[in-house]
Amino acid sequence: MYIDILKQIVNNYERYKKIAVNLEWVEFNSKFYNWYEYPHGMIVTVCDFPKNYVKENSEQAYVQAVLCNMAYQEEWEQDFWKITSSERLEYMTQANSLYSDYMTYKEYHMKPVTEDYLINEIKLHADKYSIPENEVNSVIPYLTGTENIEIGGFYGCDSTFISIKDNSIMLLECGIWY
């Protein structure tokens, strides 16, 4: 279900930009985990939206989750997107390489993955890089009973996954980045 929606947005900067420019920012809770030690690791962004928001506004929820992830990684305030549509358009036009880097993939996969596969991927990285078990356990519920999708990667040795429920989105990036 959600995979079909993502196929229309991911790697399609013009569609992503149109949604982002017109996005009605919804208040939500988010968490960010940066389990990265050069050159390996994982980066996790969890977005808890209001009840059924993702189910009823899938495109907007995905775009807002990507913008949330971007804000964390760029060390910006989470409300950075609470600006006018004309300012949004200007930023996304002038800095399109920055904005597009967060939603385009050289290695485009867009394929479903099982809960077990994703849990094993997380635990593999967690064990290898001494990520605290309580932090790992705090993200596992976001990928159970969800649609889990491998979106793709940038370098052939990294992957971005998304786990989508009716009221939450978890973005998980893991791999090796030089």
Side-chain angles (χ1 to χ4, degrees):
M1 174 180 144
Y2 292 115
I3 196 169
D4 295 325
I5 293 165
L6 291 175
K7 284 178 180 178
Q8 297 174 34
I9 303 170
V10 174
N11 281 8
N12 182 346
Y13 187 68
E14 289 305 312
R15 184 169 177 105
Y16 171 79
K17 180 169 72 172
K18 182 179 179 183
I19 295 166
V21 166
N22 297 303
L23 183 66
E24 183 178 325
W25 193 263
V26 173
E27 294 301 320
F28 67 108
N29 294 315
S30 63
K31 298 175 205 128
F32 182 73
Y33 302 94
N34 187 348
W35 299 319
Y36 175 71
E37 286 188 37
Y38 181 83
H40 307 95
M42 287 190 302
I43 299 170
V44 181
T45 304
V46 175
C47 300
D48 280 316
F49 290 96
K51 185 176 181 178
N52 290 323
Y53 179 77
V54 177
K55 181 179 180 180
E56 296 168 2
N57 304 279
S58 305
E59 291 181 330
Q60 294 83 357
Y62 169 73
V63 170
Q64 188 165 337
V66 170
L67 291 168
C68 174
N69 177 42
M70 181 180 190
Y72 277 122
Q73 292 197 47
E74 297 296 330
E75 298 179 352
W76 297 343
E77 296 295 323
Q78 280 297 303
D79 65 351
F80 84 102
W81 207 241
K82 292 183 182 178
I83 54 177
T84 66
S85 295
S86 60
E87 288 174 295
R88 292 174 179 181
L89 180 59
E90 181 182 339
Y91 293 149
M92 293 191 80
T93 302
Q94 291 179 355
N96 69 356
S97 63
L98 172 66
Y99 285 91
S100 68
D101 278 353
Y102 285 89
M103 55 73 59
T104 57
Y105 300 87
K106 292 177 185 172
E107 302 284 331
Y108 179 81
H109 301 148
M110 201 58 74
K111 64 181 182 183
V113 295
T114 65
E115 288 177 16
D116 289 339
Y117 177 85
L118 203 48
I119 289 170
N120 287 335
E121 188 75 20
I122 290 170
K123 289 187 175 184
L124 172 75
H125 282 80
D127 290 343
K128 197 171 194 175
Y129 306 113
S130 303
I131 300 166
E133 187 175 345
N134 65 323
E135 289 185 17
V136 171
N137 290 338
S138 72
V139 301
I140 298 295
Y142 289 96
L143 62 86
T144 57
T146 67
E147 188 169 349
N148 295 300
I149 302 162
E150 181 180 8
I151 297 175
F154 296 100
Y155 305 108
C157 53
D158 67 326
S159 290
T160 297
F161 299 92
I162 186 169
S163 299
I164 306 174
K165 289 186 178 185
D166 291 347
N167 63 324
S168 69
I169 292 178
M170 181 176 75
L171 294 167
L172 169 68
E173 301 168 74
C174 55
I176 302 170
W177 299 284
Y178 294 100

